[in-house]
Amino acid sequence: MGLIVQKFGGSSVANAERVMNVAQIVTETYKAGNDVIVVVSAQGDTTDDLIAKGKEINPAGSKREMDMLMSAGEQISIALLAMAIEKLGFRVVSLLGWQAGFESSSVYGAARIKRINCDRLRTEIGQHRIVVVAGFQGLNKYDDITTFGRGGSDTSAVAIAAAMHADKCQIYTDVDGVYTADPRKISNAVKLDEITYDEMLELATLGAQVLNNRSVEMAKKYNVELEVLSSLERKPGTIVKEANNKMERMLISGVAKDTDVSRISVIGVADEPGIAFKIFSRLAAKHINVDIILQSVGRENTKDISFTVARGQGDEAVEIVKQFTSSVSGKDIVVDNNVAKVSIVGAGMESHPGVAAKMFEALYNARVNIQMIATSEIKISVLINQDDADRAVTAIHAAFFD
Ligand code: ADP
Ligand code: ASP
Ligand code: MG
């Protein structure tokens, strides 16, 4: 008994039947004696459809208006779910992000939650209502609606759980937990009973969309234990929490794939100090996040620098690099969008040599060529041709889990 935050993703509320199913789960939790705050996403593909509608009218529409448009999807979901809960005979209120007290930074499309003013949430809970909150959205200092980036409802849920000191934060979705690889792609992926924040954060950042990476970051910061579970089957899911001694230390906890990548190569720049600094400081000044970086050994006084960025930032990155290279003649910039990043994540690799070799062997056996490699204590990523990505994930998963 206590306060439980439950988040339901787009497929969990995709149609009337699914909305009634969610109402059932929520009211059962309430009937068991808990206060319940529910966070919902837009139904099914609504957000994608809204984006397409906006682009149809004006591909260069402002980010402010895109946020106004995209946030509408969640408004539909909260009203429908509240009506479903009313139908089951329970007291309920639906709230948009701003009504629930979400104050955000100003960056449209990628706003950060600054604070939640919990007064309204507390009042509604105090009046014994189930509260249904629109995920993914807040209000900035200009009193404008902002959104938190794709998949941002997970973060809305964790933020409420942290701010309200909830006893539980459950993320309901269309799979029954976190697996060693996307269970829709790898049929023998294994469900994990638990996973540490750090491993989940890496997996989420490297492409496992089951949880949004910012939500995991926030859960770790405020020590909110998460459970990822299915809205369609009643069974325990995966617990995401701080590492402890009792946890089974897996060598590898998962394989992830990210196709939202562009590789940019700057060919033939001068082999002298300061070139990397000049390129990457310009990119940083424009908030472009650079991921893997590879610099060739200098030859005949020139060298090549390659790096990856999110696909959506590729064009902007190229423009910035062009502005730099135009001041130094004869340089070539090559962009490759047909790439994918495949990664393995696991806390156990820190203390076990040979993990990288095993991954590379699997890729070699599958005849997949590696373009770039990046490592940290708990992850190894390779950049490969996008057409090879699914084969690579299958081969790597088989090498570690079969
Ligand atoms: P929601 O709409 O509920 O937020 P998402 O589509 O964002 O759901 O995330 C759930 C999806 O994440 C699953 O359908 C699954 O295909 C995908 N996924 C990718 N990697 C993993 C993984 N390692 N474990 C579980 N699901 C994963
Ligand atoms: N509806 C938003 C999206 O599709 C937010 C979310 O699903 O979490 O990205
Ligand atoms: Mg999601």
Side-chain angles (χ1 to χ4, degrees):
M1 252 157 284
L3 172 64
I4 301 189
V5 175
Q6 300 183 318
K7 181 258 168 180
F8 295 88
S11 47
S12 300
V13 291
N15 54 41
E17 193 191 333
R18 294 269 174 99
V19 172
M20 286 311 303
N21 169 59
V22 168
Q24 205 69 49
I25 296 174
V26 169
T27 53
E28 275 168 25
T29 311
Y30 184 84
K31 268 193 292 193
N34 301 292
D35 292 323
V36 188
I37 301 178
V38 191
V39 174
V40 276
S41 305
Q43 291 186 288
D45 296 328
T46 303
T47 310
D48 289 328
D49 296 345
L50 289 171
I51 293 171
K53 274 192 176 138
K55 300 261 179 245
E56 188 185 355
I57 300 273
N58 179 2
S62 67
K63 289 188 173 163
R64 179 193 185 277
E65 299 310 331
M66 282 307 288
D67 274 6
M68 188 61 97
L69 180 63
M70 279 193 285
S71 63
E74 273 67 16
Q75 180 160 1
I76 297 172
S77 298
I78 55 169
L80 293 176
L81 180 58
M83 288 158 80
I85 293 171
E86 280 175 347
K87 189 171 171 182
L88 298 180
F90 291 81
R91 284 162 66 79
V92 60
V93 62
S94 67
L95 299 175
L96 289 168
W98 66 268
Q99 293 174 302
F102 274 84
E103 297 172 13
S104 82
S105 67
S106 320
V107 190
Y108 300 105
R112 293 206 165 243
I113 299 165
K114 281 189 154 171
R115 138 174 207 273
I116 302 179
N117 176 346
C118 294
D119 294 349
R120 178 78 187 263
L121 289 173
R122 284 203 195 95
T123 306
E124 300 294 352
I125 292 287
Q127 292 177 357
H128 307 292
R129 291 197 178 92
I130 294 169
V131 186
V132 182
V133 179
F136 180 54
Q137 54 175 262
L139 200 70
N140 69 15
K141 64 180 176 197
Y142 309 110
D143 280 350
D144 281 342
I145 306 277
T146 55
T147 65
F148 304 152
R150 297 306 304 271
S153 306
D154 296 338
T155 316
S156 304
V158 175
I160 291 182
M164 293 287 290
H165 305 290
D167 298 283
K168 246 189 204 176
C169 184
Q170 297 178 311
I171 309 287
Y172 285 88
T173 183
D174 57 359
V175 288
D176 61 1
V178 178
Y179 280 71
T180 51
D182 186 341
R184 296 190 187 286
K185 303 263 170 59
I186 303 291
S187 57
N188 58 349
V190 183
K191 183 171 142 189
L192 304 169
D193 292 333
E194 45 187 22
I195 182 168
T196 65
Y197 291 128
D198 288 335
E199 289 169 295
M200 191 63 238
L201 182 56
E202 287 285 8
L203 277 179
T205 306
L206 294 167
Q209 67 167 23
V210 63
L211 280 177
N212 176 277
N213 60 350
R214 273 201 203 165
S215 73
V216 184
E217 207 172 54
M218 190 177 289
K220 179 179 161 76
K221 184 167 172 193
Y222 295 101
N223 206 14
V224 175
E225 199 169 290
L226 303 178
E227 184 179 11
V228 178
L229 68 175
S230 167
S231 63
L232 303 168
E233 287 171 277
R234 310 287 170 100
K235 56 177 175 183
T238 301
I239 304 288
V240 187
K241 62 180 191 184
E242 200 57 77
N244 65 39
N245 295 337
K246 278 194 246 131
M247 258 169 129
E248 190 191 350
R249 236 170 112 86
M250 307 255 295
L251 179 59
I252 298 298
S253 55
V255 186
K257 175 184 88 168
D258 185 1
T259 52
D260 179 28
V261 193
S262 284
R263 190 193 67 193
I264 298 170
S265 304
V266 194
I267 314 283
V269 283
D271 188 19
E272 62 185 32
I275 298 290
F277 163 66
K278 284 174 190 158
I279 293 178
F280 295 114
S281 58
R282 281 169 167 79
L283 293 167
K286 295 284 183 196
H287 304 285
I288 293 181
N289 221 352
V290 173
D291 187 24
I292 309 178
I293 300 176
L294 186 75
Q295 179 177 296
S296 70
V297 176
R299 228 180 312 112
E300 290 164 11
N301 296 328
T302 66
K303 64 188 173 190
D304 308 334
I305 298 180
S306 301
F307 58 91
T308 63
V309 295
R311 182 80 48 88
Q313 295 192 306
D315 291 343
E316 203 182 342
V318 168
E319 274 317 305
I320 292 166
V321 177
K322 263 191 192 152
Q323 279 165 20
F324 164 67
T325 52
S326 61
S327 59
V328 275
S329 62
K331 313 305 162 242
D332 240 351
I333 299 172
V334 181
V335 184
D336 190 350
N337 286 328
N338 190 30
V339 289
K341 186 169 63 175
V342 172
S343 311
I344 56 174
V345 172
M349 69 173 74
E350 254 179 309
S351 48
H352 283 81
V355 174
K358 191 165 174 173
M359 178 184 188
F360 301 155
E361 183 187 19
L363 290 168
Y364 165 67
N365 289 335
R367 295 288 176 269
V368 174
N369 188 37
I370 301 172
Q371 301 177 12
M372 293 167 114
I373 301 171
T375 62
S376 78
E377 284 95 343
I378 66 164
K379 71 138 203 244
I380 302 167
S381 298
V382 294
L383 193 80
I384 59 175
N385 192 309
Q386 197 173 127
D387 308 328
D388 293 336
D390 286 334
R391 212 151 37 86
V393 173
T394 306
I396 296 167
H397 191 272
F400 285 98
F401 295 101
D402 274 0

